[in-house]
Amino acid sequence: QVQVIESGGGSVQTGGSLTLSCEVSGDATSTPCLGWFRQAPGKEHEEREAVASLYTGGTTKLYSLAVEGRFTISHNKNTLYLEMNNLSAGDTAMYYCAAGSEVCRGGVCFCGGEDPKTYSSWGRGTQVAVSS
């Protein structure tokens, strides 16, 4: 069983920065696909938005258009990070860390990226609030 626990959320002013962390415990090698998702206020859980993801066994990193150039996803051993810069009100949300296995189709295996259904372990979230 893999568990993930987020931390680092908080309140920040527009233009500020925050770095989120996610500790992955258990059999982390079984879930090499790690991602950050966010749920904006007033949105349903099913409407959570993919923010960034990576494959711990390689160099591939994916970002949503909304955060590309401002956010950086990285990992070190069993900790996943999300460095967030130049934050705006639109970044206000509950941020979730997720871990999952690769999806294999036709002999090719890959991470699910922005598809939340491919992630099997989720944290409880950490709140980020950006105010002007």
Side-chain angles (χ1 to χ4, degrees):
Q1 183 97 18
V2 173
Q3 293 184 324
V4 296
I5 300 176
E6 307 94 338
S7 62
S11 297
V12 65
Q13 291 189 322
T14 299
S17 300
L18 279 175
T19 296
L20 307 183
S21 299
C22 171
E23 294 290 335
V24 182
S25 61
D27 185 13
T29 58
S30 68
T31 54
C33 304
L34 302 178
W36 288 99
F37 291 77
R38 65 186 183 186
Q39 182 179 347
K43 296 287 188 180
E44 298 293 329
H45 191 59
E46 292 72 23
E47 299 176 274
R48 57 191 181 276
E49 171 193 7
V51 175
S53 62
L54 59 73
Y55 170 59
T56 60
T59 60
T60 301
K61 298 179 180 179
L62 300 176
Y63 296 94
S64 70
L65 291 177
V67 307
E68 192 163 18
R70 299 187 298 122
F71 291 13
T72 301
I73 188 171
S74 63
H75 77 100
N76 181 15
K77 296 183 179 178
N78 291 340
T79 303
L80 180 69
Y81 301 97
L82 185 68
E83 179 183 348
M84 307 184 294
N85 297 308
N86 194 20
L87 287 161
S88 66
D91 298 313
T92 294
M94 182 71 80
Y95 283 73
Y96 296 92
C97 174
S101 304
E102 292 175 275
V103 178
C104 297
R105 294 175 185 157
V108 179
C109 298
F110 50 90
C111 288
E114 64 180 13
D115 185 355
K117 296 188 294 296
T118 64
Y119 295 86
S120 54
S121 299
W122 291 80
R124 294 180 177 272
T126 185
Q127 182 70 47
V128 172
V130 184
S131 60
S132 58

